[in-house]
Amino acid sequence: MVKFINVSKRYPNGVLALSSVNLTIEKGEFVFIVGSSGAGKSTLVKLLLKEIEPTEGEIIVGEYNLNKLSKREIPYYRRKIGIVFQDFRLLPNKTVYENVEFAMQITGAPSKLIRRQVPFVLSLVGLAHKAKCYPHELSGGEQQRVALARAIVNKPSLLVADEPTGNLDPDTSWEIMRLLEDINKRGTTVLVATHAKEIVDSMRKRVVAIDNGRIVKDQPKGVYSYET
Ligand code: ADP
Ligand code: ADP
C-alpha cells in the first residue's frame, strides 16, 4: 500500500529531516509513527501527501509512484487518501453535515449516493445528532470526529492522521484512537503520527519510531519506547 524506498529529505536550509528511510506498509495495517518533536514525522506525512518532494528515493502509494505524479494528477491523488490534522481544519461556515457532504461533492459523487453516505459516516463517528451544528458549537473531540467522517466519506484505502489527538484531552484522545481502530477494522489502512505515548503503549499496534530522521525501531504490537 505504502512504500518508502531509500527516502531522504533535505530542506533548503540544509536540515536533513529524513535520512534513507525504508518503510513498507501493507494494505489493512494500522501503524503508529512516533518520535520526539523534530524527529521527522511531519516531513514523512508531507512527503506522503506530496506537499513536498524527496531529495532522494521513491515513494509508492497504492498504484501511484509519487515521483512520477504530474501536477495535474496531484489533486486526484490526494482525494484518494483520507487526511486528519491536529487542528481539525473544518469549514467554519458549513454545518457538520455540509462539511462532510462537501468532501463528497467535490469528487463529483451522485447526490443519491451522497444522501446515503453522509448520514452513514456521521453515525459511524457517533455524530448523527449533531448534523445541523456548526463547528464552533462542538467540542474539540466532536470536531475531530467530523474531520474523521469527512476523511472516510469517499472510502479511501489509506487514512493518514497527523497528531490527531494533539489538541484533545486524554479521554477524548482515546475516543478518537478507538474510532481510528474501528475504521481500520473496516478495511482502511491507517497511519497515525503521534506523541500519545500511553495510548500507543496500550493499543499494541505496529510502531515505527523515528529519531533524527532515521527509523530507529519498527515493531509489530510495539510500544512507544523502552525509556521511562
Ligand atoms: P516532527 O514532525 O517529528 O516534529 P518535522 O518533520 O517537522 O518533525 O521536522 C524534522 C526536522 O526538519 C526538524 O529539524 C525541523 O526543524 C526541520 N524542518 C521541518 N520543516 C522544515 C522546513 N520547512 N524548512 C526547514 N527545516 C524544516
Ligand atoms: P450495507 O447495509 O449496505 O451492508 P453499510 O451499512 O455497511 O452497508 O454501509 C452503508 C454505506 O456506507 C454503503 O454505501 C457502504 O459501502 C458504505 N460504507 C461502509 N463502510 C464504510 C466505511 N468504512 N467508510 C465509508 N463508507 C463505508
Side-chain angles (χ1 to χ4, degrees):
M1 176 83 234
V2 177
K3 222 172 163 96
F4 278 62
I5 305 162
N6 259 311
V7 172
S8 297
K9 174 63 187 178
R10 190 181 290 281
Y11 285 107
N13 64 354
V15 171
L16 188 59
L18 285 183
S19 177
S20 303
V21 165
N22 285 292
L23 177 64
T24 301
I25 296 170
E26 304 293 347
K27 194 166 159 31
E29 277 198 273
F30 187 117
V31 183
F32 282 122
I33 307 283
V34 305
S36 55
S37 181
K41 303 181 298 296
S42 300
T43 298
L44 191 142
V45 169
K46 285 178 188 153
L47 284 167
L48 203 51
L49 305 177
K50 205 171 161 72
E51 286 176 12
I52 57 175
E53 300 297 319
T55 314
E56 267 181 75
E58 266 188 88
I59 302 166
I60 317 269
V61 180
E63 71 262 40
Y64 297 90
N65 179 331
L66 299 200
N67 299 47
K68 292 181 181 152
L69 211 58
S70 70
K71 273 228 157 63
R72 194 178 52 80
E73 291 170 304
I74 293 173
Y76 297 96
Y77 163 69
R78 289 205 187 121
R79 279 179 211 158
K80 299 206 169 172
I81 303 182
I83 310 165
V84 176
F85 299 98
Q86 177 169 353
D87 55 0
F88 322 135
R89 303 194 191 180
L90 301 175
L91 299 168
N93 301 320
K94 287 189 187 288
T95 64
V96 164
Y97 187 95
E98 289 163 352
N99 262 278
V100 179
E101 178 185 48
F102 185 67
M104 262 190 108
Q105 283 169 339
I106 60 171
T107 69
S111 51
K112 187 163 172 241
L113 180 65
I114 296 178
R115 283 198 301 274
R116 189 180 68 186
Q117 182 73 353
V118 175
F120 173 77
V121 290
L122 285 178
S123 61
L124 207 65
V125 301
L127 278 185
H129 61 299
K130 302 265 173 157
K132 291 183 175 150
C133 293
Y134 286 88
H136 75 269
E137 299 174 298
L138 304 178
S139 69
E142 287 169 338
Q143 290 185 54
Q144 194 60 301
R145 285 194 268 158
V146 178
L148 269 177
R150 179 179 61 180
I152 62 170
V153 74
N154 292 318
K155 303 185 187 176
S157 44
L158 174 66
L159 177 63
V160 179
D162 192 0
E163 295 284 359
T165 64
N167 286 333
L168 303 176
D169 62 58
D171 285 350
T172 312
S173 297
W174 265 109
E175 287 171 21
I176 295 298
M177 290 294 194
R178 288 289 179 221
L179 268 175
L180 286 166
E181 191 176 35
D182 288 347
I183 291 164
N184 173 248
K185 287 192 173 134
R186 290 170 161 272
T188 307
T189 307
V190 174
L191 191 131
V192 185
T194 186
H195 273 115
K197 180 178 189 304
E198 269 147 48
I199 296 179
V200 171
D201 285 350
S202 58
M203 281 177 74
R204 306 312 303 250
K205 302 294 187 188
R206 179 175 171 192
V207 177
V208 173
I210 307 186
D211 184 32
N212 233 320
R214 289 176 188 278
I215 292 182
V216 291
K217 184 176 75 178
D218 185 349
Q219 294 181 323
K221 300 186 200 290
V223 291
Y224 195 97
S225 73
Y226 292 115
E227 298 97 66
T228 69

